[in-house]
Amino acid sequence: MLKNNYHTHTSRCHHAVDEDEAYVLEAIRAGIETLGFSDHIPFLNGPESRIRMDISEMNGYLESIRYLRDKYADQIRILVGFEAEYIDDEIPFYQSLLNENKVDYLIFGNHLYEGYETSSQRIENAAQLQQYVDRAIAGMKSGLFQYLAHPDLFMVNIKDFDENCVKAAEQLCQAALDLDMPIEFNCEGLRDHLNGHIFKNGTTLAYPHPQFWKIAAKMKNKVILGADAHASTAVNDEAIKEAIRQTKEFNLNMIDHLEI
Ligand SMILES: [Zn+2]
Ligand SMILES: [Zn+2]
């Protein structure tokens, strides 16, 4: 069981299901202590996006989670935040969300390696991979985020963990170490793997990638598990059990909560 999970989506992102309350009830049933909602952040200035809520839905999201936080306050600790990319034009928006206490926290999902129109799931060459790494490091340095989600997301469209991937992993892990920032072992990628999902790289393996996590283990990075739940059952499922088993097998330096 994942005692504290800070990576939970809602149906507003168009690729998650279930009512907000269903996630909370499932988490209470499982005995989870902290459930952090971190749905995909809307763009304030970006193009229309099929994988995130519209900006007009943001207040409803925040109100819904705060309502649930109060309703179940004696049974579970609920936090509200976002999973956000590091996009120059959106940074003032993120800062205002944090400064005005509209959210409790942000996690960093580096889904766009360079601007709104790029996708970290479509990285095709070493130059794009380096852009992904540079953007990840810039975002980590910004101080906006609690942790870097699925640092090995770049493997979605890459079949072999070659020397460029080793270099990328070492750069990401070193930056996280220097900043004392946790990196996330992501259960959604593992869930896809266990379900036999074929990634863009033509295999069922993308992230969490064993080669990446062997490097993180060697470098002694702080690692946190994230359910990355896109359904209420995913706050406590087989993927989480398997993730816990793998993190032990890799001998990762796990932390089990954030100071929020
Ligand atoms: Zn998602
Ligand atoms: Zn993500």
Side-chain angles (χ1 to χ4, degrees):
M1 196 259 293
L2 191 46
K3 212 164 63 168
N4 303 290
N5 168 47
Y6 304 90
H7 198 162
T8 314
H9 292 279
T10 79
S11 60
R12 294 169 189 80
C13 70
H14 312 289
H15 60 281
V17 294
D18 296 334
E19 297 292 321
D20 301 345
E21 194 161 13
Y23 289 82
V24 175
L25 294 173
E26 192 67 33
I28 292 171
R29 254 198 299 277
I32 290 170
E33 290 176 16
T34 308
L35 182 68
F37 282 87
S38 49
D39 206 359
H40 296 282
I41 201 162
F43 289 148
L44 192 61
N45 301 299
E48 214 173 299
S49 168
R50 289 172 295 116
I51 59 138
R52 61 193 68 243
M53 69 181 75
D54 188 77
I55 190 75
S56 64
E57 295 172 279
M58 184 176 80
N59 286 337
Y61 165 69
L62 298 173
E63 277 164 24
S64 170
I65 306 305
R66 282 196 214 105
Y67 166 79
L68 293 167
R69 175 191 67 191
D70 296 344
K71 182 173 176 181
Y72 294 102
D74 58 344
Q75 296 177 69
I76 191 167
R77 181 163 178 255
I78 292 177
L79 300 172
V80 65
F82 284 109
E83 179 182 19
E85 293 77 10
Y86 190 63
I87 292 288
D88 298 350
D89 288 349
E90 302 293 319
I91 292 168
F93 169 46
Y94 300 173
Q95 281 165 337
S96 71
L97 287 173
L98 289 165
N99 292 342
E100 293 164 26
N101 292 317
K102 288 194 170 167
V103 294
D104 298 313
Y105 70 105
L106 300 175
I107 61 171
F108 183 15
N110 191 27
H111 304 111
L112 311 170
Y113 63 81
E114 189 56 65
Y116 294 112
E117 308 294 345
T118 64
S119 168
S120 303
Q121 305 199 19
R122 294 179 190 278
I123 288 172
E124 287 174 348
N125 55 52
Q128 290 172 348
L129 180 56
Q130 191 59 50
Q131 283 182 302
Y132 171 90
V133 170
D134 292 346
R135 183 132 301 258
I137 293 174
M140 284 193 274
K141 282 184 177 166
S142 72
L144 292 165
F145 305 108
Q146 290 286 332
Y147 72 61
L148 175 62
H150 43 58
D152 44 353
L153 184 70
F154 60 83
M155 288 306 294
V156 166
N157 195 35
I158 297 176
K159 199 169 174 182
D160 299 311
F161 204 91
D162 63 11
E163 60 195 4
N164 293 320
C165 298
V166 171
K167 187 178 153 207
E170 288 174 349
Q171 285 182 294
L172 290 168
C173 288
Q174 188 60 51
L177 272 180
D178 293 345
L179 295 159
D180 196 29
M181 174 170 281
I183 52 177
E184 180 205 63
F185 193 93
N186 184 275
C187 295
E188 178 71 358
L190 188 59
R191 198 170 282 122
D192 282 346
H193 171 67
L194 296 173
N195 290 335
H197 173 79
I198 308 287
F199 288 96
K200 289 191 180 72
N201 63 18
T203 80
T204 65
L205 181 66
Y207 69 102
H209 198 287
Q211 297 307 111
F212 181 94
W213 293 102
K214 280 176 192 162
I215 291 167
K218 199 167 72 188
M219 294 178 73
K220 299 193 168 56
N221 280 92
K222 277 187 188 168
V223 179
I224 188 162
L225 272 178
D228 199 357
H230 287 78
S232 59
T233 51
V235 300
N236 182 42
D237 66 357
E238 284 303 316
I240 291 174
K241 274 189 210 147
E242 173 62 12
I244 291 170
R245 195 193 65 73
Q246 289 194 9
T247 55
K248 283 182 183 151
E249 186 180 299
F250 292 126
N251 198 22
L252 291 168
N253 176 22
M254 302 303 293
I255 60 165
D256 74 348
H257 71 283
L258 302 169
E259 302 298 333
I260 301 175

